Amino acid sequence: MDGKLLFAGKEVPWPADIPVTYPGSDAFASATLRWSTYKAPKFVAVATPKNEEEVVKIVKAARASNIPFLATAGRHGYVTTLGKLDGGLAIDLSLINTVSIDKAAATVTVGAGTKLGDVTVPVDEAGFELPVGSCPGVGIVGVTIGAGVGLFQGLYGLIIDSLLSVRLIKADGEVVEASEKINPDLFWAIRGAGANFGIITSATYKLHKPVNNAQVFTADAIFPASAKSAYFDVLQSFENKMPAELAMATLIVWDPNSESTQILSTFIYSGTEESARQVLAPFFELSPPVVRAGSCPYSQVQQTILFGSFTTSPSGNIHDIFTVNVRRFAAETLKSTFDKFDAFYKAHPAARTSVAVLETFSNKAVAAVPDETTAYPWRDAKGNFMFQMSWPELGGPIEEPVNALARELRQDIAATSGYPELTVYVNYAHGDETLEQIYGKSKLPELVRLKKAWDPDNVFRYHHALPTEYP
């Protein structure tokens, strides 16, 4: 180790074969650009390893010089606790983006930097499916270790339910495997709280035979404010009769063309168009003035839904996000949510890019997995309701009313969510929730015990950190 890293005004020992970039360079800017700039981590250097061996070298060198670090892949994480890293090292995993499919074993192994959009096409071409989410730019490992809610979870469960094994680098640089048979306690913990235990360099998943020959019906529709009450009544009617093949998302948005608040919906159905239209008839009978509908291959769903908006989702903007898990789709609360967003848009034009995203994905296969199987605590959730608040520039007076509305709406939804208090999915959590609201009171004692065993120095502490003692 005869190289040097400039950190905190000092040169510290560094592996000579691993280059480092610093602020002011294009490479640094590219490797640290995040989807959301709100309370984002701040880095003073970036190391971009090409393989697992180099990640080990980086971790050992950083630990030896007491340099805080964060491993990144899709850089789509937006939890505000990431902002607690102020002046650290980014371990940019983007070059470790391999996808290897074993058709005979029906498995896929991905590298740490692989994004969801990198996986769907080769998986589809091999004749399989994996329960991915809606955004192609998200890192698959990062999504997985929170649980991985997604569009196909009604059929195949959460992404963690397809996870077979991982390779993980501990805080001391040791590489370990985790699966049902090897380090099963660690494997249990990373499926729901994985950001707390190490850097996963590769993950292997079981693949699933496709439904309907991998043809998926999708539809997008726009409903005006006048359809608000009828729409949310229909949505509520699906609360206890969501087919396994169905996923829906309802967005409350501001339309600059009509200068009005409206509902934008997307429907994903893994089946024939005829069956999908029968299931979705109550929505179509509301006669939305704008509809796009048709079938596409499984691998093109992410690029198709919401009028293709995920293909142009830029990085570098503000996304200040609050969420709630729900067991109920309380129509009256959702109508009130629409009205409060409408008043907010009219009072604060600068924040009109803010949206409510009401994810209602079937949980049939999710709930079928016994609760004790993984650390993820919310298998009975039927939806994740999210408020993505956005405005042009960090700071300024707009932030206070934006956060006030989001917290008010979160409280409103929680009150009629079907849970006794606020509960949140760890990958969606804002950062001001309690540990119990994120990880579940029943799971915390074991998680904390494992945190103390696997990361006693709390090196991995920036994504809703678990303590090493509880309560």
Side-chain angles (χ1 to χ4, degrees), residues 339-375:
D339 291 341
K340 289 182 178 181
F341 253 99
D342 183 53
F344 174 80
Y345 287 143
K346 292 171 180 174
H348 301 285
R352 285 176 175 171
T353 52
S354 301
V355 299
V357 182
L358 314 176
E359 294 181 343
T360 48
F361 307 153
S362 171
N363 75 336
K364 186 173 182 179
V366 178
V369 176
D371 177 70
E372 65 274 11
T373 304
T374 65

Side-chain angles (χ1 to χ4, degrees), residues 54 90 107 117-118 125 168 179 186 253 320 339 345 350 355 396 469:
E54 291 191 353
T107 63
D118 300 327
E125 290 177 345
L168 178 144
S179 67
L186 177 62
V253 302
D320 179 16
D339 291 341
Y345 287 143
V355 299
E469 300 290 340

Side-chain angles (χ1 to χ4, degrees), residues 371-387:
D371 177 70
E372 65 274 11
T373 304
T374 65
Y376 177 67
W378 313 121
R379 289 187 176 275
D380 58 350
K382 296 180 180 179
N384 304 94
F385 291 178
M386 174 188 303
F387 309 111

Side-chain angles (χ1 to χ4, degrees), residues 259-452:
E259 294 192 333
S260 65
T261 305
Q262 60 187 22
I263 293 170
L264 168 60
S265 299
T266 190
F267 307 96
I268 302 94
Y269 186 86
S270 294
T272 66
E273 180 168 347
E274 181 182 6
S275 296
R277 288 189 177 277
Q278 288 177 353
V279 170
L280 297 171
F283 288 103
F284 290 130
E285 287 168 1
L286 298 178
S287 301
V290 179
V291 178
R292 179 216 57 82
S295 294
C296 69
Y298 155 85
S299 58
Q300 296 303 308
V301 170
Q302 294 170 325
Q303 291 77 18
T304 303
I305 59 175
L306 290 175
F307 297 101
S309 60
F310 282 118
T311 61
T312 58
S313 180
S315 294
N317 293 324
I318 295 169
H319 299 281
D320 179 16
I321 296 177
F322 297 78
T323 57
V324 187
N325 298 331
V326 299
R327 293 169 175 159
R328 297 185 57 233
F329 309 160
E332 294 307 313
T333 303
L334 297 177
K335 295 171 190 177
S336 172
T337 299
F338 183 98
D339 291 341
K340 289 182 178 181
F341 253 99
D342 183 53
F344 174 80
Y345 287 143
K346 292 171 180 174
H348 301 285
R352 285 176 175 171
T353 52
S354 301
V355 299
V357 182
L358 314 176
E359 294 181 343
T360 48
F361 307 153
S362 171
N363 75 336
K364 186 173 182 179
V366 178
V369 176
D371 177 70
E372 65 274 11
T373 304
T374 65
Y376 177 67
W378 313 121
R379 289 187 176 275
D380 58 350
K382 296 180 180 179
N384 304 94
F385 291 178
M386 174 188 303
F387 309 111
Q388 295 188 6
M389 312 309 291
S390 185
W391 61 97
E393 296 181 4
L394 293 170
I398 189 71
E399 184 172 343
E400 183 175 345
V402 161
N403 281 324
L405 173 68
R407 287 193 169 92
E408 178 184 346
L409 293 174
R410 182 175 64 176
Q411 183 175 344
D412 291 349
I413 297 292
T416 57
S417 68
Y419 286 97
E421 65 167 337
L422 172 67
T423 67
V424 293
Y425 168 41
V426 62
N427 282 0
Y428 290 175
H430 180 77
D432 61 344
E433 304 89 348
T434 67
L435 288 171
E436 292 81 3
Q437 290 168 343
I438 296 172
Y439 292 113
K441 190 173 182 179
S442 67
K443 305 292 179 92
L444 269 171
E446 180 65 4
L447 280 172
V448 170
R449 184 188 72 81
L450 293 168
K451 175 70 171 179
K452 189 172 184 176

Side-chain angles (χ1 to χ4, degrees), residues 238-244 246-248 329 360-363 382:
F238 277 76
E239 179 184 302
N240 294 314
K241 63 172 188 179
M242 186 83 75
L246 180 62
M248 303 186 291
F329 309 160
T360 48
F361 307 153
S362 171
N363 75 336
K382 296 180 180 179

Side-chain angles (χ1 to χ4, degrees), residues 76-134:
H76 202 279
Y78 45 75
V79 302
T80 61
T81 59
L82 292 171
K84 293 181 179 180
L85 179 58
D86 187 357
L89 171 71
I91 304 177
D92 167 30
L93 302 172
S94 61
L95 296 182
I96 310 176
N97 60 349
T98 54
V99 178
S100 177
I101 295 174
D102 185 331
K103 293 183 68 172
T107 63
V108 59
T109 299
V110 302
T114 307
K115 299 178 182 179
L116 288 178
D118 300 327
V119 178
T120 51
V121 170
V123 165
D124 192 8
E125 290 177 345
F128 298 102
E129 292 182 350
L130 189 68
V132 298
S134 56

